[in-house]
Amino acid sequence: MCGIVGYIGYRQSTDVLLHGLSKLEYRGYDSAGLAVYHQGSITVRKFKGRLQTLTQDIANSPIEATVGIGHTRWATHGEPSDANSHPHANHHATIAVVHNGIIENYLELREMLMKEGYRFTSQTDSEVLAHLLDKLYEGNLVVAVRKMLKIIKGSYALAILCEKEPDKIVGVRKNSPLIVGLGESENFLASDIPAILNYTRNVYLMENDEIVICTQDNVTILDENDLEKQPDIFKVNWDAQDAEKGGYEHFMLKEIHEQPESIRKTMLSRIFEEKDYVVLDDVKITKEDLDRFQKVYIVACGTAYHAGLVGKYLIEKYARIPVECDIASEFRYRNPLVDKCTLCIVISQSGETADSLAALELAKAQSARVLAVTNVQGSSIARAAHDVIYTWAGPEIAVASTKAYTTQLLCMYALSMHFGLLTQHLSKQQYAALRDELFDLPRLVQQVIATDEGLHALAKRRKNAEDIYFIGRGLDYYVSLEGSLKLKEISYIHSEAAAAGELKHGPIALIDQGTLVIALLTQDELFNKTLSNIKEVKSRGAYVVAFCKENAEIIRKEVDELFVIPKAADDVAPVLAVICLQLLSYYFACERGCDVDKPRNLAKSVTVE
Ligand code: F6R
């Protein structure tokens, strides 16, 4: 999604802005631009395409400046083009604005401004902001910004530069993230922390409706009533290089390899080897609360939704509370039955996904208790929820989610076991057995990752596959959904996942001679059932690649290829199976020459609907 960087200080601002924007590339974008104050006026440079085009332009024709704003745009209103790129400026380019989010009433504002003689050069909603500020400006940028906030509707993070006040950059946010980086004789604005980590670790996470005024030596935060507020500075405790590739060819591969560690970290100080209870510091839900909840909704998008499906299975099994798992963009528009007897669990890696945030707000407005499972401290979803579990996966840069998903699963285990103990549907012995299984996971995950040549070889042999189907039952079905999503998003191979028992109700019509079917059989009780489905597709000519646990190799003769994952309890096996599918997707994408970390049309953080 779009990225913002703002800088004021003593360095060459184009360097800082370009560096910051490069750290936000992972969010996905289709154009990039910047505006700097130089010799009494604002210069804007912006281009469709990769950041490299902008970097090259600046290299060809450098601009001396120590203040500026930059942007990477992911098109929503208007195609990707030079004109639609940000920054947008008023007619004489005395005010420049970069914007993330959507101005919902932009059409009516555009019409009003055009009637007053303002000329528009782009199709974007964001351009109205530059002209509106021009109209409202009477010698004080902050006053004009405050007036504008009373007029515009929608979601936004903005950074603004004004020719008449070149000693400052001004920022504001509503439902779109914006952070302030505080340095020595320099200050920064950004939509995400990696953009500024090279320069400072002191960060302020802005609240909705606040205005920030950054000068070279000062940061002033005004609350919604324009009262000055003492910022609560947060120290970033992870390294810039945590967000770098660290020797791997792609971020995705690095992040797959980080999973033994991220899983360990997620358990740390929550599940203890010798103790028979879970500690979830930021979850204050009591047994009385659980008795009151008549229903739990788990709401999320994409991969996080797939983690939610596993969560539903686990909570229903261990705590015996009915759970519905919903896609956030569906949930928010279907008038769900939510009230004070509802617990709504929102899962989101970024904590900024627009649909998930809106679903959360809806549940809150209808008096539900809201629990967030997220990877980003201080994200909008974390802040809006009553209770939070952080996944502690570290920054996830590759667009395709891997370590965030498995740590979301770990949070689902911890939460469901906690609920199970509170409701007393999970005995201490059952708890202890599960806990021991979880503690063994990092070692088993390491084992899976270390034996990936077979997966690579399979991808090499079948790289020209046009369709790949995944089948499984129970938890294996949920993992199939995730495996299929991973494969299609990075390799662009058409893929679907089917509950194996559903095959004969439709999907089996697609099976033909040589069709590649990936079957998961990690659930002991469902093993024979899935085996029957394998026979069904085999008899229609499918080429079946199966994944099963140790000691289940009897199916070797029933399938074309077999991958054996380490022995683990059925309930934790999804973590091992999904890592095989992540690796398989990764190798398929590499073999097909795809841009693994930045698949086409996708963004890391989907902050618009
Ligand atoms: C797929 C993927 C997406 C995200 C989805 C939700 O690999 O990453 O499907 O899972 O966009 O994002 P978050 O978790 O940030 O809410």
Side-chain angles (χ1 to χ4, degrees), residues 326-363:
D326 232 322
I327 293 168
S329 55
E330 292 293 316
F331 177 85
R332 61 183 289 201
Y333 293 118
R334 72 173 173 84
N335 196 9
L337 293 169
V338 175
D339 59 21
K340 63 177 187 324
C341 298
T342 309
L343 169 66
C344 181
I345 303 175
V346 178
I347 309 179
S348 171
Q349 185 283 129
S350 61
E352 300 296 345
T353 301
D355 281 317
S356 305
L357 182 58
L360 183 157
E361 297 292 1
L362 179 151

Coordinates of all heavy atoms in Angstrom, one line a residue, residues 326-363:
D326 N -15.0 -15.5 10.0 CA -15.6 -14.7 8.9 C -14.5 -13.9 8.2 O -13.6 -13.4 8.8 CB -16.6 -13.7 9.5 CG -17.9 -13.8 8.8 OD1 -17.9 -14.0 7.6 OD2 -19.0 -13.7 9.5
I327 N -14.7 -13.7 6.9 CA -13.8 -12.8 6.2 C -14.3 -11.4 6.5 O -15.5 -11.1 6.5 CB -14.0 -13.1 4.7 CG1 -13.4 -14.5 4.3 CG2 -13.4 -12.0 3.8 CD1 -13.8 -15.0 3.0
A328 N -13.4 -10.5 6.9 CA -13.7 -9.2 7.4 C -14.6 -8.4 6.4 O -15.6 -7.7 6.9 CB -12.5 -8.4 7.7
S329 N -14.3 -8.4 5.1 CA -15.1 -7.6 4.2 C -16.5 -8.2 4.0 O -17.4 -7.4 3.6 CB -14.4 -7.6 2.8 OG -14.2 -9.0 2.4
E330 N -16.7 -9.4 4.4 CA -18.1 -10.0 4.4 C -18.8 -9.6 5.7 O -19.9 -9.1 5.8 CB -18.0 -11.5 4.3 CG -17.6 -12.0 2.9 CD -18.6 -11.6 1.8 OE1 -19.8 -11.8 2.1 OE2 -18.1 -11.1 0.8
F331 N -18.1 -9.9 6.8 CA -18.6 -9.6 8.2 C -19.2 -8.2 8.3 O -20.3 -8.0 8.8 CB -17.5 -9.9 9.2 CG -17.8 -9.6 10.6 CD1 -18.4 -10.6 11.4 CD2 -17.5 -8.4 11.2 CE1 -18.7 -10.4 12.7 CE2 -17.8 -8.2 12.5 CZ -18.4 -9.2 13.3
R332 N -18.4 -7.2 7.8 CA -18.8 -5.9 8.1 C -20.1 -5.4 7.4 O -20.7 -4.4 7.7 CB -17.6 -4.9 7.8 CG -17.2 -4.9 6.4 CD -16.0 -4.0 6.2 NE -16.3 -2.6 6.2 CZ -15.6 -1.6 5.7 NH1 -14.5 -1.9 5.1 NH2 -16.0 -0.4 5.8
Y333 N -20.4 -6.1 6.3 CA -21.6 -5.7 5.5 C -22.8 -6.7 5.7 O -23.7 -6.6 4.9 CB -21.2 -5.6 4.1 CG -20.3 -4.4 3.8 CD1 -19.0 -4.6 3.3 CD2 -20.7 -3.1 4.2 CE1 -18.1 -3.6 3.1 CE2 -19.8 -2.1 4.0 CZ -18.5 -2.3 3.5 OH -17.7 -1.2 3.3
R334 N -22.7 -7.6 6.6 CA -23.8 -8.6 6.6 C -24.6 -8.5 7.9 O -25.3 -9.4 8.3 CB -23.4 -10.0 6.4 CG -22.6 -10.6 7.5 CD -22.3 -12.1 7.2 NE -21.4 -12.7 8.2 CZ -21.8 -13.2 9.3 NH1 -23.1 -13.1 9.7 NH2 -21.0 -13.7 10.2
N335 N -24.5 -7.4 8.6 CA -25.3 -7.1 9.8 C -25.2 -8.3 10.8 O -26.2 -8.9 11.1 CB -26.8 -6.9 9.4 CG -27.5 -6.2 10.5 OD1 -27.0 -5.8 11.6 ND2 -28.9 -6.2 10.4
P336 N -24.0 -8.6 11.2 CA -23.8 -9.8 12.0 C -24.4 -9.7 13.4 O -24.6 -8.6 13.9 CB -22.3 -9.9 12.2 CG -21.8 -8.5 12.0 CD -22.7 -7.9 11.0
L337 N -24.8 -10.8 14.0 CA -25.4 -10.8 15.3 C -24.4 -10.6 16.4 O -23.8 -11.5 16.9 CB -26.1 -12.1 15.5 CG -27.3 -12.4 14.6 CD1 -27.8 -13.8 14.7 CD2 -28.4 -11.4 14.9
V338 N -24.1 -9.3 16.7 CA -23.1 -9.0 17.7 C -23.7 -8.2 18.8 O -24.4 -7.3 18.6 CB -22.0 -8.2 17.0 CG1 -20.9 -7.7 18.0 CG2 -21.3 -9.0 15.9
D339 N -23.4 -8.6 20.0 CA -23.8 -7.8 21.2 C -22.8 -8.0 22.3 O -21.7 -8.5 22.1 CB -25.3 -8.1 21.6 CG -25.4 -9.6 22.0 OD1 -24.3 -10.2 22.3 OD2 -26.5 -10.1 21.9
K340 N -23.2 -7.6 23.5 CA -22.2 -7.6 24.6 C -21.9 -9.1 25.0 O -21.0 -9.3 25.8 CB -22.7 -6.8 25.8 CG -24.0 -7.2 26.5 CD -24.2 -6.3 27.6 CE -25.4 -6.7 28.5 NZ -26.6 -7.3 28.0
C341 N -22.6 -10.0 24.5 CA -22.3 -11.4 24.8 C -21.5 -12.0 23.7 O -21.4 -13.2 23.5 CB -23.6 -12.2 25.0 SG -24.6 -11.6 26.4
T342 N -20.8 -11.2 22.9 CA -20.0 -11.6 21.8 C -18.5 -11.3 22.1 O -18.2 -10.2 22.5 CB -20.4 -10.9 20.5 OG1 -21.8 -11.0 20.4 CG2 -19.6 -11.5 19.3
L343 N -17.6 -12.2 21.8 CA -16.2 -11.9 21.7 C -15.8 -11.9 20.3 O -16.1 -12.8 19.5 CB -15.4 -13.0 22.5 CG -13.9 -12.9 22.3 CD1 -13.3 -11.6 22.9 CD2 -13.2 -14.1 22.9
C344 N -15.2 -10.8 19.8 CA -14.7 -10.7 18.4 C -13.2 -10.7 18.4 O -12.6 -9.8 19.0 CB -15.3 -9.4 17.8 SG -14.8 -9.2 16.1
I345 N -12.7 -11.7 17.8 CA -11.2 -11.8 17.7 C -10.8 -11.3 16.3 O -11.2 -11.9 15.3 CB -10.7 -13.2 17.9 CG1 -11.2 -13.7 19.3 CG2 -9.2 -13.3 17.8 CD1 -10.9 -15.2 19.6
V346 N -10.0 -10.3 16.2 CA -9.5 -9.8 14.9 C -8.1 -10.2 14.7 O -7.2 -9.8 15.6 CB -9.7 -8.3 14.8 CG1 -9.2 -7.7 13.5 CG2 -11.2 -7.9 15.0
I347 N -7.8 -10.9 13.7 CA -6.4 -11.3 13.4 C -5.8 -10.5 12.2 O -6.5 -10.4 11.2 CB -6.3 -12.8 13.1 CG1 -7.0 -13.6 14.1 CG2 -4.8 -13.2 13.0 CD1 -7.0 -15.1 13.9
S348 N -4.7 -9.8 12.4 CA -4.1 -9.0 11.4 C -2.6 -8.9 11.6 O -2.2 -8.3 12.6 CB -4.8 -7.7 11.3 OG -4.1 -6.8 10.4
Q349 N -1.8 -9.3 10.6 CA -0.4 -9.2 10.8 C -0.1 -7.7 10.9 O 0.6 -7.3 11.8 CB 0.3 -9.7 9.5 CG 1.8 -9.8 9.5 CD 2.5 -8.4 9.3 OE1 3.3 -8.0 10.0 NE2 2.1 -7.7 8.2
S350 N -0.5 -6.9 9.9 CA -0.1 -5.5 9.9 C -0.9 -4.6 11.0 O -0.4 -3.6 11.4 CB -0.5 -4.9 8.5 OG -1.9 -5.0 8.3
G351 N -2.0 -5.1 11.3 CA -2.8 -4.3 12.3 C -3.5 -3.1 11.6 O -4.0 -2.2 12.3
E352 N -3.4 -3.0 10.3 CA -3.9 -1.8 9.6 C -4.9 -2.2 8.5 O -5.3 -1.3 7.8 CB -2.7 -1.0 9.0 CG -1.7 -0.5 9.9 CD -2.2 0.5 10.9 OE1 -3.3 1.0 10.7 OE2 -1.5 0.7 12.0
T353 N -5.2 -3.4 8.3 CA -6.0 -3.8 7.2 C -7.4 -3.1 7.3 O -8.1 -3.3 8.4 CB -6.2 -5.4 7.1 OG1 -4.8 -5.9 7.0 CG2 -7.1 -5.8 6.0
A354 N -7.8 -2.4 6.3 CA -9.0 -1.5 6.4 C -10.3 -2.3 6.8 O -11.0 -1.9 7.7 CB -9.2 -0.8 5.1
D355 N -10.5 -3.5 6.1 CA -11.7 -4.2 6.4 C -11.7 -4.8 7.8 O -12.7 -4.9 8.5 CB -11.8 -5.4 5.3 CG -12.4 -4.8 4.0 OD1 -13.3 -4.0 4.0 OD2 -11.8 -5.2 3.0
S356 N -10.5 -5.3 8.2 CA -10.4 -5.9 9.6 C -10.7 -4.8 10.6 O -11.3 -5.0 11.6 CB -9.1 -6.5 9.8 OG -8.9 -7.5 8.7
L357 N -10.1 -3.6 10.4 CA -10.3 -2.5 11.3 C -11.7 -2.1 11.4 O -12.3 -1.9 12.5 CB -9.4 -1.3 10.9 CG -9.4 -0.1 11.8 CD1 -9.0 -0.5 13.2 CD2 -8.4 1.0 11.3
A358 N -12.4 -2.1 10.2 CA -13.8 -1.7 10.2 C -14.7 -2.7 10.9 O -15.6 -2.4 11.6 CB -14.2 -1.5 8.7
A359 N -14.3 -4.0 10.7 CA -15.1 -5.1 11.4 C -14.9 -4.9 12.9 O -15.9 -5.1 13.7 CB -14.5 -6.4 10.9
L360 N -13.7 -4.6 13.3 CA -13.4 -4.4 14.7 C -14.3 -3.3 15.3 O -14.9 -3.4 16.3 CB -11.9 -4.1 14.9 CG -11.4 -3.9 16.3 CD1 -9.9 -4.2 16.4 CD2 -11.6 -2.6 16.9
E361 N -14.3 -2.1 14.6 CA -15.1 -1.0 15.0 C -16.5 -1.3 15.1 O -17.2 -0.9 16.0 CB -14.8 0.2 14.1 CG -13.4 0.7 14.0 CD -12.9 1.4 15.3 OE1 -13.7 1.4 16.3 OE2 -11.7 1.8 15.4
L362 N -17.0 -2.1 14.1 CA -18.4 -2.4 14.1 C -18.7 -3.3 15.4 O -19.7 -3.0 16.1 CB -18.7 -3.2 12.8 CG -20.1 -3.8 12.6 CD1 -20.4 -3.8 11.1 CD2 -20.4 -5.1 13.2
A363 N -17.9 -4.3 15.6 CA -18.1 -5.1 16.8 C -18.1 -4.3 18.1 O -18.9 -4.5 19.0 CB -17.1 -6.2 16.8

